[in-house]
Coordinates of all heavy atoms in Angstrom, one line a residue:
Chain A
I412 N -53.1 94.9 63.9 CA -52.2 95.0 62.9 C -52.3 93.8 61.9 O -52.6 94.0 60.7 CB -50.7 95.1 63.3 CG1 -50.5 96.3 64.1 CG2 -49.8 94.9 62.1 CD1 -49.1 96.4 64.8
F413 N -52.5 92.6 62.5 CA -52.8 91.5 61.6 C -54.0 91.5 61.0 O -54.0 91.3 59.7 CB -52.7 90.2 62.5 CG -53.0 89.0 61.7 CD1 -52.1 88.3 61.0 CD2 -54.2 88.4 61.7 CE1 -52.3 87.2 60.3 CE2 -54.6 87.3 61.0 CZ -53.5 86.6 60.2
I414 N -55.1 91.8 61.6 CA -56.5 91.8 60.9 C -56.5 93.0 59.8 O -57.0 92.7 58.7 CB -57.7 92.0 61.9 CG1 -57.6 90.9 62.9 CG2 -59.0 92.1 61.2 CD1 -58.7 91.1 64.0
Y415 N -55.9 94.0 60.2 CA -55.9 95.2 59.3 C -55.0 94.8 57.9 O -55.7 94.9 56.9 CB -55.1 96.4 59.9 CG -54.9 97.5 59.0 CD1 -56.0 98.3 58.6 CD2 -53.7 97.8 58.4 CE1 -55.9 99.4 57.9 CE2 -53.6 98.9 57.6 CZ -54.6 99.7 57.3 OH -54.5 100.8 56.5
F416 N -54.0 94.1 58.1 CA -53.3 93.8 56.9 C -53.9 92.6 56.2 O -53.8 92.5 55.0 CB -51.8 93.5 57.2 CG -51.0 94.8 57.4 CD1 -50.7 95.2 58.7 CD2 -50.8 95.7 56.4 CE1 -50.0 96.4 58.9 CE2 -50.1 96.9 56.6 CZ -49.7 97.2 57.9
A417 N -54.4 91.7 57.0 CA -55.2 90.6 56.3 C -56.4 90.9 55.5 O -56.6 90.6 54.3 CB -55.6 89.5 57.4
L418 N -57.2 92.0 56.2 CA -58.4 92.6 55.5 C -57.9 93.2 54.2 O -58.5 93.2 53.2 CB -59.0 93.5 56.4 CG -60.0 92.9 57.5 CD1 -60.6 94.0 58.4 CD2 -61.1 92.1 56.8
G419 N -56.8 94.0 54.4 CA -56.3 94.8 53.2 C -55.9 93.9 52.1 O -56.1 94.3 50.9
K420 N -55.3 92.7 52.3 CA -54.8 91.8 51.4 C -55.9 91.3 50.6 O -55.9 91.2 49.3 CB -54.0 90.7 51.9 CG -53.1 90.0 51.0 CD -52.0 89.2 51.8 CE -51.3 88.4 50.8 NZ -50.4 89.0 49.9
F421 N -57.0 90.9 51.2 CA -58.2 90.0 50.6 C -59.4 91.0 50.1 O -60.0 90.7 49.2 CB -58.6 89.0 51.5 CG -57.6 88.1 51.8 CD1 -57.1 87.9 53.0 CD2 -57.1 87.2 50.8 CE1 -56.0 87.0 53.3 CE2 -56.0 86.3 51.0 CZ -55.5 86.1 52.3
F422 N -59.5 92.1 50.8 CA -60.7 92.9 50.5 C -60.5 94.3 50.1 O -61.4 95.0 49.7 CB -61.7 92.9 51.7 CG -62.1 91.5 52.2 CD1 -61.5 91.0 53.3 CD2 -63.1 90.9 51.5 CE1 -61.9 89.8 53.7 CE2 -63.5 89.6 52.0 CZ -63.0 89.0 53.0
H423 N -59.2 94.7 50.2 CA -58.9 96.1 49.7 C -59.8 97.2 50.4 O -60.5 98.0 49.7 CB -58.8 96.3 48.2 CG -58.0 95.3 47.6 ND1 -56.5 95.5 47.6 CD2 -58.2 94.2 46.9 CE1 -56.0 94.4 46.9 NE2 -57.0 93.7 46.5
L424 N -59.8 97.1 51.7 CA -60.6 98.0 52.3 C -59.9 99.3 52.7 O -58.6 99.4 52.8 CB -61.1 97.4 53.8 CG -62.2 96.5 53.7 CD1 -62.5 95.9 55.0 CD2 -63.5 97.1 53.2
D425 N -60.5 100.4 53.0 CA -60.1 101.6 53.4 C -59.6 101.5 54.8 O -60.0 100.6 55.6 CB -61.0 102.8 53.3 CG -61.1 103.3 51.9 OD1 -60.3 103.0 51.1 OD2 -62.1 104.0 51.5
G426 N -58.7 102.5 55.3 CA -58.2 102.4 56.6 C -59.4 102.4 57.7 O -59.5 101.7 58.7
L427 N -60.3 103.3 57.5 CA -61.3 103.5 58.5 C -62.2 102.2 58.7 O -62.4 101.7 59.7 CB -62.2 104.7 58.2 CG -63.3 105.0 59.2 CD1 -62.6 105.4 60.6 CD2 -64.2 106.2 58.8
P428 N -62.8 101.7 57.7 CA -63.7 100.5 57.9 C -62.8 99.3 58.3 O -63.3 98.5 59.2 CB -64.3 100.1 56.5 CG -63.7 101.1 55.5 CD -63.0 102.2 56.3
A429 N -61.6 99.2 57.7 CA -60.8 98.1 58.2 C -60.5 98.2 59.7 O -60.6 97.2 60.5 CB -59.5 98.2 57.5
A430 N -60.3 99.4 60.4 CA -60.0 99.6 61.7 C -61.2 99.2 62.5 O -61.1 98.7 63.6 CB -59.5 101.0 61.9
I431 N -62.3 99.8 61.9 CA -63.6 99.5 62.7 C -63.8 97.9 62.8 O -64.2 97.3 63.9 CB -64.8 100.2 62.0 CG1 -64.7 101.7 62.4 CG2 -66.1 99.7 62.6 CD1 -65.7 102.5 61.6
I432 N -63.7 97.2 61.7 CA -63.8 95.8 61.6 C -62.9 95.1 62.6 O -63.2 94.3 63.4 CB -63.8 95.3 60.2 CG1 -64.9 95.8 59.3 CG2 -63.7 93.8 60.1 CD1 -64.8 95.5 57.9
A433 N -61.6 95.5 62.5 CA -60.6 94.9 63.3 C -61.0 95.0 64.8 O -60.9 94.0 65.6 CB -59.1 95.4 63.0
L434 N -61.2 96.2 65.2 CA -61.6 96.5 66.6 C -62.9 95.8 67.1 O -62.9 95.2 68.1 CB -61.7 98.0 66.9 CG -60.5 98.7 67.3 CD1 -60.9 100.2 67.3 CD2 -59.8 98.3 68.5
S435 N -63.8 95.6 66.1 CA -65.0 94.9 66.4 C -64.7 93.5 66.6 O -65.3 92.8 67.6 CB -66.1 95.0 65.2 OG -66.4 96.2 65.0
I436 N -63.8 92.8 65.9 CA -63.5 91.5 66.0 C -62.7 91.2 67.3 O -63.1 90.4 68.1 CB -62.6 90.9 64.9 CG1 -63.4 90.9 63.6 CG2 -62.0 89.5 65.1 CD1 -62.5 90.6 62.3
C437 N -61.9 92.2 67.7 CA -61.1 92.1 69.0 C -62.1 92.2 70.1 O -62.0 91.4 71.1 CB -60.1 93.2 69.0 SG -58.9 93.2 67.8
Y438 N -63.1 93.2 70.0 CA -63.8 93.5 71.2 C -65.1 92.5 71.3 O -65.7 92.3 72.3 CB -64.3 94.9 71.3 CG -63.5 95.7 72.1 CD1 -62.2 96.0 71.8 CD2 -63.9 96.2 73.4 CE1 -61.3 96.8 72.7 CE2 -63.1 97.0 74.2 CZ -61.9 97.1 73.9 OH -61.0 98.0 74.6
G439 N -65.4 92.0 70.1 CA -66.6 91.0 70.1 C -66.5 89.9 70.9 O -67.5 89.5 71.6
A440 N -65.2 89.4 71.2 CA -65.0 88.2 72.1 C -65.3 88.6 73.6 O -66.0 87.8 74.2 CB -63.5 87.8 72.0
Y441 N -64.9 89.9 74.0 CA -65.2 90.3 75.3 C -66.7 90.5 75.4 O -67.3 90.2 76.4 CB -64.3 91.5 75.7 CG -63.0 91.2 75.6 CD1 -62.1 91.5 74.6 CD2 -62.2 90.6 76.7 CE1 -60.8 91.2 74.5 CE2 -60.9 90.2 76.7 CZ -60.1 90.6 75.6 OH -58.9 90.2 75.5
M442 N -67.3 91.2 74.4 CA -68.7 91.5 74.4 C -69.5 90.2 74.5 O -70.4 90.1 75.2 CB -69.0 92.2 73.1 CG -70.1 93.2 73.3 SD -69.8 94.6 74.4 CE -69.4 95.8 73.5
G443 N -69.0 89.2 73.8 CA -69.6 87.9 73.9 C -69.7 87.3 75.3 O -70.7 86.8 75.7
E444 N -68.6 87.5 76.1 CA -68.6 87.1 77.5 C -69.6 87.9 78.3 O -70.2 87.4 79.1 CB -67.1 87.3 78.0 CG -66.1 86.3 77.5 CD -66.4 85.0 77.9 OE1 -66.3 84.6 79.1 OE2 -66.9 84.1 77.0
I445 N -69.7 89.2 78.0 CA -70.7 90.0 78.7 C -72.2 89.5 78.4 O -72.9 89.4 79.3 CB -70.6 91.5 78.3 CG1 -69.3 92.0 78.8 CG2 -71.8 92.3 78.8 CD1 -69.0 93.4 78.4
F446 N -72.3 89.1 77.1 CA -73.7 88.7 76.7 C -73.9 87.4 77.3 O -75.1 87.1 77.9 CB -73.9 88.5 75.1 CG -74.4 89.7 74.5 CD1 -73.6 90.7 73.9 CD2 -75.8 90.0 74.5 CE1 -74.0 91.8 73.3 CE2 -76.3 91.2 73.8 CZ -75.3 92.1 73.3
R447 N -73.0 86.4 77.3 CA -73.2 85.1 78.0 C -73.5 85.2 79.5 O -74.4 84.7 79.9 CB -71.9 84.3 77.9 CG -71.9 82.8 78.3 CD -70.7 82.2 78.2 NE -69.5 82.8 79.0 CZ -69.6 82.9 80.3 NH1 -70.5 82.3 81.1 NH2 -68.6 83.7 81.0
A448 N -72.7 86.0 80.1 CA -72.9 86.3 81.6 C -74.4 87.0 81.8 O -75.1 86.5 82.7 CB -71.8 87.1 82.2
G449 N -74.7 87.8 80.9 CA -76.0 88.4 81.0 C -77.1 87.6 80.9 O -78.0 87.6 81.6
I450 N -77.0 86.8 79.8 CA -78.1 85.8 79.5 C -78.2 84.7 80.7 O -79.3 84.4 81.1 CB -77.8 85.0 78.2 CG1 -77.9 86.0 77.0 CG2 -78.9 83.8 78.0 CD1 -77.4 85.4 75.7
Q451 N -77.1 84.3 81.2 CA -77.1 83.4 82.3 C -77.6 84.0 83.6 O -77.9 83.1 84.5 CB -75.7 82.7 82.3 CG -75.3 81.7 81.2 CD -74.0 81.0 81.3 OE1 -73.1 81.6 81.8 NE2 -73.9 79.9 80.6
A452 N -77.5 85.2 83.7 CA -78.0 85.9 84.9 C -79.5 85.9 85.0 O -80.1 86.1 86.0 CB -77.4 87.2 85.0
I453 N -80.2 85.7 83.9 CA -81.6 85.6 83.9 C -82.1 84.2 84.4 O -81.6 83.2 84.1 CB -82.3 85.7 82.5 CG1 -81.6 86.9 81.7 CG2 -83.6 85.8 82.4 CD1 -81.9 88.3 82.4
P454 N -83.0 84.3 85.5 CA -83.4 83.1 86.1 C -84.0 82.1 85.1 O -84.6 82.4 84.1 CB -84.5 83.5 87.1 CG -84.3 85.0 87.3 CD -83.7 85.5 86.1
K455 N -83.6 80.8 85.4 CA -84.0 79.7 84.5 C -85.5 79.7 84.3 O -86.0 79.3 83.2 CB -83.5 78.4 85.0 CG -83.3 77.2 84.2 CD -82.5 76.2 85.0 CE -83.4 75.2 85.4 NZ -83.9 74.7 86.6

Side-chain angles (χ1 to χ4, degrees):
Chain A
I412 294 172
F413 176 79
I414 297 170
Y415 176 73
F416 285 109
L418 283 175
K420 193 160 172 74
F421 298 113
F422 299 104
H423 301 288
L424 281 177
D425 282 345
L427 184 62
I431 289 176
I432 292 172
L434 275 173
S435 298
I436 294 174
C437 302
Y438 265 68
Y441 298 100
M442 211 60 102
E444 289 296 286
I445 292 174
F446 270 97
R447 184 187 56 72
I450 291 169
Q451 287 177 337
I453 307 298
K455 204 169 92 249

